[in-house]
Amino acid sequence: MDYLFVPAQKSDAEKVFSLIRDRIRWMDELGIEQWNKEDYWGVFPKSYYHKAIQENRLYVLKEPETAAVVSAGVLSFEDWRWGDDGTPAAYLHNFVTALHTKGIGGIFLKKCEEYIRLSGKKKLRLDCAESNLKLNQYYERHGYKAAGRVIDGNFIGIKREKDL
């Protein structure tokens, strides 16, 4: 199936919020400590996503037949956590997938990488909680190498990047 990778529209916002709520509940059920332990909605309120939509930074992956949103993430070309090291890079945050779509995260990452490569950037960067071993292993399997640590309030994370 050829999923559609497109900037989110206002009409996609509630579906993205639903994906995040589902993923937070899933983290609670599995004892994974990340969004569910960080006051996620306080740090990333709905207004953050609405602004990302207005700025064409929130991207969604949609099923082609139903247009159902199955994954989402916020892309930008600067990130204070990384500073300006002169590397032409893009940054992915708030990456989420639907629970019922096995393998969809890898598809979303590939679509992001293609988009970012076409924009002329050389790396895609992201971060995740240091304590989330499964997610760190997931990113490693997809080619995202550890590139340092980040501490932001209660969040202690690993910076990761992939050459494109």
Side-chain angles (χ1 to χ4, degrees), residues 33-34 38 127-137 148-151 154-160:
E33 295 185 2
Q34 188 148 340
E38 298 174 0
D127 60 62
C128 67
E130 187 174 70
S131 63
N132 191 336
L133 298 180
K134 286 185 179 188
L135 186 56
N136 277 289
Q137 291 169 350
R149 291 179 82 211
V150 60
I151 299 174
N154 292 333
F155 177 74
I156 300 172
I158 296 177
K159 295 180 193 177
R160 295 191 164 278

Side-chain angles (χ1 to χ4, degrees), residues 2 23 26 31 37 42 54 57 85 90 113 128 130 144 152 158 162 164:
D2 193 20
R23 191 54 69 175
W26 175 84
K37 302 298 180 194
Q54 290 173 339
R57 293 185 304 109
D85 65 359
E113 292 162 9
C128 67
E130 187 174 70
Y144 290 84
D152 182 11
I158 296 177
K162 181 176 183 177
L164 301 179

Side-chain angles (χ1 to χ4, degrees), residues 31-44:
I32 296 170
E33 295 185 2
Q34 188 148 340
W35 293 351
N36 55 338
K37 302 298 180 194
E38 298 174 0
D39 184 27
Y40 186 85
W41 294 111
V43 177
F44 300 105

Side-chain angles (χ1 to χ4, degrees), residues 49-153:
Y49 288 94
H50 290 295
K51 182 177 181 190
I53 289 170
Q54 290 173 339
E55 296 173 350
N56 288 323
R57 293 185 304 109
L58 178 61
Y59 280 77
V60 294
L61 195 66
K62 294 183 176 188
E63 292 180 349
E65 290 117 27
T66 64
V69 175
V70 293
S71 188
V74 176
L75 287 171
S76 63
F77 293 120
E78 56 187 41
D79 187 320
W80 67 268
R81 289 178 172 176
W82 287 80
D84 184 7
D85 65 359
T87 303
Y91 305 86
L92 174 63
H93 288 287
N94 315 101
F95 174 42
V96 65
T97 62
L99 295 174
H100 68 281
T101 53
K102 187 166 176 59
I104 205 69
I107 294 169
F108 185 88
L109 288 172
K110 286 287 181 209
K111 297 279 189 180
C112 280
E113 292 162 9
E114 291 169 15
Y115 171 74
I116 296 307
R117 189 178 303 111
L118 290 173
S119 75
K121 303 299 180 184
K122 303 295 183 201
K123 293 183 183 282
L124 181 57
R125 293 173 165 173
L126 47 79
D127 60 62
C128 67
E130 187 174 70
S131 63
N132 191 336
L133 298 180
K134 286 185 179 188
L135 186 56
N136 277 289
Q137 291 169 350
Y138 174 84
Y139 287 135
E140 283 283 335
R141 284 193 310 273
H142 285 279
Y144 290 84
K145 304 295 181 199
R149 291 179 82 211
V150 60
I151 299 174
D152 182 11

Side-chain angles (χ1 to χ4, degrees), residues 16-47:
V16 172
F17 300 151
S18 179
L19 291 177
I20 294 167
R21 283 191 298 270
D22 290 348
R23 191 54 69 175
I24 289 171
R25 277 193 297 277
W26 175 84
M27 289 175 185
D28 283 336
E29 291 169 8
L30 293 183
I32 296 170
E33 295 185 2
Q34 188 148 340
W35 293 351
N36 55 338
K37 302 298 180 194
E38 298 174 0
D39 184 27
Y40 186 85
W41 294 111
V43 177
F44 300 105
K46 290 182 178 183
S47 60

